[in-house]
C-alpha cells in the first residue's frame, strides 16, 4: 500500500540551510509535493516535482528526488524564523486516483 | 484572487448531532477534494469531486459521512450521528482540472464533538 514517512522534528539556526527528508513506498508515484502548514492555518503548496525529474529549484527551495531509493528531500537555503512550520511530504500515485497521500509532517523550528 | 474558503472555521457539536461543513473552491476550479486531519497527523483523503459527481469516495470512513456538490462549485460535507472520534480539522482543496496536480487548500473547519 501507500506509505509516506518523515522524521518528526528538525531544529536549525537562522541563516543555516534546512534539509527535510521523506521516504515513500509507492513506486508508481507520479508527483511528489511539499506543503507547509503554519499553526492554525491550512496547507500551503510550496513546490512539487514530477517523478521523471531529479531536482527542482525555486528561489530558496531545492527539491531532490532519488527515485531508486524512493527518497525526497526539501532544502531551504538561508532559513528564516518565518520558515518555522510543519512541512508535509505528499504523493499522488499513478493509479488514476487524485488523492494526495501525506506523511505525518516534520516540525521545523528555526532558532534566532 | 480569492482562495478556497471554508465555513464555519470552528464547530462544536454534541455527540449524536448532525453537522454540515461548507467549502467554496477557487473560482474556475472544477475539481474539489475533502481531507480530514487529526491532531499530529497529515491529512487523510475523504472524497474527490470532478464537477458535480463524486469521482472517488473511497476515503469516506463509513456511511455517516456524505458529501454533495450539486452545482459543481460549492460543496457540503455532511456528518450524521457524530461521534467523538469525528473530531478533527476538515480540509477542503480544489484544483483547476481533473489532473489534481496542484491542489490548493482552504483554512479548514475544526470540528469538536463533545
Amino acid at each position: 500500500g501507500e506509505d509516506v514517512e518523515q522524521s518528526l522534528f528538525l531544529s536549525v539556526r537562522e541563516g543555516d540551510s534546512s534539509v527535510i527528508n521523506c521516504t515513500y513506498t509507492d513506486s508508481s508515484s507520479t508527483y511528489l509535493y511539499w506543503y507547509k502548514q503554519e499553526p492554525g492555518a491550512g496547507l500551503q503548496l510550496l513546490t512539487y516535482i514530477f517523478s521523471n525529474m531529479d531536482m527542482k529549484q525555486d528561489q530558496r527551495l531545492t527539491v531532490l528526488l532519488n527515485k531508486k531509493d524512493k527518497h525526497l528531500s526539501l532544502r531551504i537555503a538561508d532559513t528564516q524564523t518565518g520558515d518555522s512550520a510543519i512541512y508535509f511530504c505528499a504523493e499522488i500515485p499513478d493509479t488514476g486516483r487524485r488523492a494526495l497521500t501525506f506523511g505525518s509532517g516534520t516540525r521545523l523550528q528555526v532558532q534566532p | 484572487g480569492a482562495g478556497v474558503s471554508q465555513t464555519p472555521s470552528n464547530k462544536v457539536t454534541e455527540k449524536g448531532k448532525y453537522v454540515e461543513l461548507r467549502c467554496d473552491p477557487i473560482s474556475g476550479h472544477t475539481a474539489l477534494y475533502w481531507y480530514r486531519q487529526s491532531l499530529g497527523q497529515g491529512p487523510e483523503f475523504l472524497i474527490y469531486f470532478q464537477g458535480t459527481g463524486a469521482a472517488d469516495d473511497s476515503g469516506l470512513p463509513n456511511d455517516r459521512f456524505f458529501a454533495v456538490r450539486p452545482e459543481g462549485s460549492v460543496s457540503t460535507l455532511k456528518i450524521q450521528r457524530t461521534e467523538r472520534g469525528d473530531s478533527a480539522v476538515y480540509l477542503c482543496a480544489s484544483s483547476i482540472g481533473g489532473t489534481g496536480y496542484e491542489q490548493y487548500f482552504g483554512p479548514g473547519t475544526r470540528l469538536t464533538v463533545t
Side-chain angles (χ1 to χ4, degrees):
Chain A
E2 303 158 0
D3 197 14
V4 179
E5 295 190 356
Q6 304 178 235
S7 53
L8 289 179
F9 184 76
L10 176 66
S11 180
V12 300
R13 290 201 175 275
E14 191 173 20
D16 288 349
S17 291
S18 306
V19 179
I20 302 171
N21 295 300
C22 169
T23 57
Y24 59 97
T25 58
D26 192 336
S27 59
S28 67
S29 295
T30 51
Y31 284 88
L32 295 123
Y33 300 79
W34 287 103
Y35 279 86
K36 176 184 180 183
Q37 188 174 41
E38 295 180 87
L43 293 158
Q44 176 191 353
L45 176 60
L46 287 178
T47 186
Y48 62 96
I49 189 168
F50 188 51
S51 59
N52 68 354
M53 299 169 64
D54 297 324
M55 185 183 85
K56 181 179 180 181
Q57 187 154 3
D58 184 0
Q59 299 182 10
R60 292 191 297 123
L61 306 179
T62 303
V63 178
L64 295 178
L65 174 61
N66 182 328
K67 197 171 180 183
K68 174 177 170 288
D69 294 338
K70 297 177 192 167
H71 182 266
L72 183 74
S73 68
L74 174 69
R75 179 178 181 270
I76 306 173
D78 187 26
T79 313
Q80 303 297 307
T81 54
D83 295 324
S84 293
I86 300 175
Y87 290 79
F88 290 95
C89 171
E91 54 109 19
I92 282 185
D94 185 20
T95 58
R97 294 189 70 201
R98 297 294 173 254
L100 288 165
T101 298
F102 286 86
S104 296
T106 299
R107 180 179 295 277
L108 174 64
Q109 181 181 70
V110 182
Q111 298 178 347
Chain B
V4 177
S5 62
Q6 293 186 244
T7 54
S9 55
N10 278 286
K11 177 71 177 176
V12 180
T13 192
E14 292 179 351
K15 179 175 176 294
K17 299 288 189 184
Y18 168 83
V19 296
E20 290 189 351
L21 311 179
R22 176 188 164 109
C23 172
D24 201 340
I26 293 171
S27 177
H29 281 195
T30 61
L32 185 146
Y33 313 78
W34 284 98
Y35 293 81
R36 178 168 74 172
Q37 185 176 23
S38 299
L39 193 63
Q41 300 297 315
E44 293 180 319
F45 170 76
L46 295 176
I47 187 169
Y48 151 56
F49 287 89
Q50 179 57 45
T52 60
D56 182 353
D57 64 357
S58 62
L60 294 178
N62 52 59
D63 61 6
R64 294 186 298 105
F65 288 75
F66 189 70
V68 296
R69 195 185 185 202
E71 296 177 359
S73 180
V74 170
S75 176
T76 304
L77 179 65
K78 308 179 182 202
I79 311 174
Q80 298 178 322
R81 304 183 304 280
T82 51
E83 300 177 356
R84 293 194 181 88
D86 299 334
S87 296
V89 175
Y90 289 81
L91 295 165
C92 176
S94 69
S95 67
I96 198 163
T99 58
Y101 295 142
E102 293 186 19
Q103 295 184 25
Y104 296 93
F105 283 78
T109 293
R110 181 176 298 278
L111 175 66
T112 304
V113 182
T114 63

